[in-house]
Amino acid sequence: MWWNLENLFDTLDDPSTNDSDFTPSGKLHWTEKKLKLKQLRIAFVISAIEKHPDYRRFPDIVAVCEVENEAVLKATMAKVPKVHYKTLHHDSPDIRGIDVGLAYNPKTLAPTGMKTYCVPLEGRPTRDIVVAGFTAGGRPLHLVLNHWPSRAFDTRWTEKKRIAAATVARAIVDSLLQRNPQADIILMGDFNDEPGDRSLKETLGSSFSREQVLSEPDTYLYNCWDGHDGEGSYRYRGHWEQIDQMLVSSGMLQKSGLRLDSKPFSCFAISPMFPSNSKYPWRTYEKGKYSGGYSDHLPLLLKVRTSP
């Protein structure tokens, strides 16, 4: 599972980051009551996946962005019943203090390590790219977690920043593939670009063709939005965008070992995640005013088989 949680902050003022808006006395009047409601909403969505007929189980991996620290992520995941998730987190240099984080089910996954990579930018720093290693079904699995620079102010002006992030992500993938050409790699993230944009298509090597990925595994990654009908993960000015994405290496397209299930990908949405008579996801804040919803993004799900 991948989900941009839309500002999962605790209520404390961290003097090392610009998080004062998300405090009880701050601009957004962020209180313990509001935080606990948001945590319960996140847990509700994760529990709804377990009850959904297409899944019937909790996600083994919950990768997220826009989380302030490991303590608030751990407290949030503790509200999910039945699964005793463990967490991994890295403090990025983002001046607001929002990071990428990860929760996993220790009964199905064993961690093998975590490494982070800085995206070199002029001026304001962005989130580091996090690489987490696991064994799943007795086989190595590599997760590359991303939250690329936003499109704020002007998409073209900020494009070079996302190309810089894509360059780092591509180098990570190339390094993993150099060590093992059949490596099982899943890239997840809020890329703030869509599959056809330069950062994804040209720099990262995003492709909607399984055949292309299998024939040129050193160049292309399979983008799981391929063939998806319906909404995107984020709605902007009346248009659904596919800025949250999951991409996999050619190793995940093989017929044995770790591999994509049949109909593996979905953008998960249930009616409570939308306000009445609205096509927009129910946000926690709307135009600076507290709305009490879940997130401005919808989560993505990917089914992976581990059996021989």
Side-chain angles (χ1 to χ4, degrees):
M1 178 180 186
W2 168 264
W3 198 4
N4 180 326
L5 296 177
E6 189 204 346
N7 298 319
L8 179 60
F9 281 82
D10 63 22
T11 61
L12 304 175
D13 188 5
D14 183 347
S16 66
T17 63
N18 185 16
D19 70 340
S20 58
D21 285 352
F22 283 91
T23 60
S25 60
K27 178 181 176 182
L28 297 174
H29 304 292
W30 186 240
T31 63
E32 282 291 333
K33 183 178 180 180
K34 292 175 181 177
L35 170 60
K36 287 180 179 179
L37 176 58
K38 185 174 180 72
Q39 291 174 320
L40 288 171
R41 292 203 184 285
I42 292 168
F44 172 79
V45 172
I46 295 172
S47 298
I49 295 168
E50 190 265 342
K51 294 179 175 61
H52 195 282
D54 289 346
Y55 300 99
R56 295 297 186 192
R57 61 183 294 166
F58 291 95
D60 294 288
I61 295 167
V62 180
V64 299
C65 69
E66 294 202 11
V67 57
E68 185 179 12
N69 51 53
E70 186 165 23
V72 74
L73 175 60
K74 189 175 292 185
T76 301
M77 299 308 298
K79 295 186 181 299
V80 180
K82 302 178 185 178
V83 185
H84 300 290
Y85 284 107
K86 291 191 174 182
T87 57
L88 295 173
H89 173 270
H90 167 68
D91 282 314
S92 283
D94 183 282
I95 62 174
R96 292 182 58 221
I98 54 172
D99 304 320
V100 170
L102 176 71
Y104 65 94
N105 184 348
K107 291 185 177 181
T108 55
L109 292 138
T112 57
M114 184 177 78
K115 192 171 182 179
T116 61
Y117 295 82
C118 174
V119 178
L121 296 177
E122 294 181 3
R124 181 172 176 167
T126 191
R127 281 72 57 176
D128 292 341
I129 296 176
V130 175
V131 182
F134 291 91
T135 56
R139 297 178 64 91
L141 173 65
H142 307 279
L143 306 179
V144 184
L145 310 180
N146 304 260
H147 186 193
W148 292 0
S150 77
R151 296 186 175 198
F153 306 115
D154 181 82
T155 300
R156 291 184 180 179
W157 182 74
T158 58
E159 182 185 45
K160 62 184 180 182
K161 298 183 178 183
R162 290 183 295 282
I163 289 175
T167 301
V168 175
R170 183 70 237 187
I172 293 168
V173 171
D174 289 342
S175 177
L176 292 169
L177 291 177
Q178 188 174 29
R179 281 183 275 169
N180 177 11
Q182 298 300 317
D184 294 319
I185 308 169
I186 305 176
L187 288 84
M188 296 184 276
D190 178 352
F191 296 90
N192 274 305
D193 267 342
E194 296 196 84
D197 289 321
R198 287 176 58 200
S199 62
L200 270 296
K201 192 172 184 179
E202 297 178 17
T203 308
L204 192 58
S206 170
S207 174
F208 282 158
S209 170
R210 286 178 178 242
E211 292 74 18
Q212 185 178 48
V213 175
L214 289 168
S215 63
E216 299 181 72
D218 294 336
T219 303
Y220 295 105
L221 298 165
Y222 179 64
N223 194 309
C224 296
W225 279 108
D226 173 36
H228 178 81
D229 294 325
E231 69 285 327
S233 62
Y234 183 76
R235 192 169 177 86
Y236 181 67
R237 294 182 177 177
H239 171 67
W240 281 109
E241 297 182 339
Q242 297 174 343
I243 60 174
D244 297 281
Q245 293 164 60
M246 290 176 160
L247 302 95
V248 300
S249 63
S250 63
M252 302 291 296
L253 303 179
Q254 307 295 335
K255 295 182 180 180
S256 61
L258 296 179
R259 62 200 185 278
L260 298 189
D261 202 348
S262 59
K263 297 182 179 179
F265 176 80
S266 71
C267 184
F268 189 73
I270 52 177
S271 58
M273 299 171 71
F274 295 82
S276 299
N277 302 317
S278 175
K279 294 182 179 180
Y280 286 81
W282 188 3
R283 306 176 59 134
T284 305
Y285 280 89
E286 184 71 41
K287 296 180 180 179
K289 294 184 178 180
Y290 180 68
S291 175
Y294 296 74
S295 172
D296 53 351
H297 290 243
L298 297 176
L300 306 181
L301 299 177
L302 188 68
K303 292 192 286 186
V304 175
R305 296 188 66 87
T306 60
S307 57

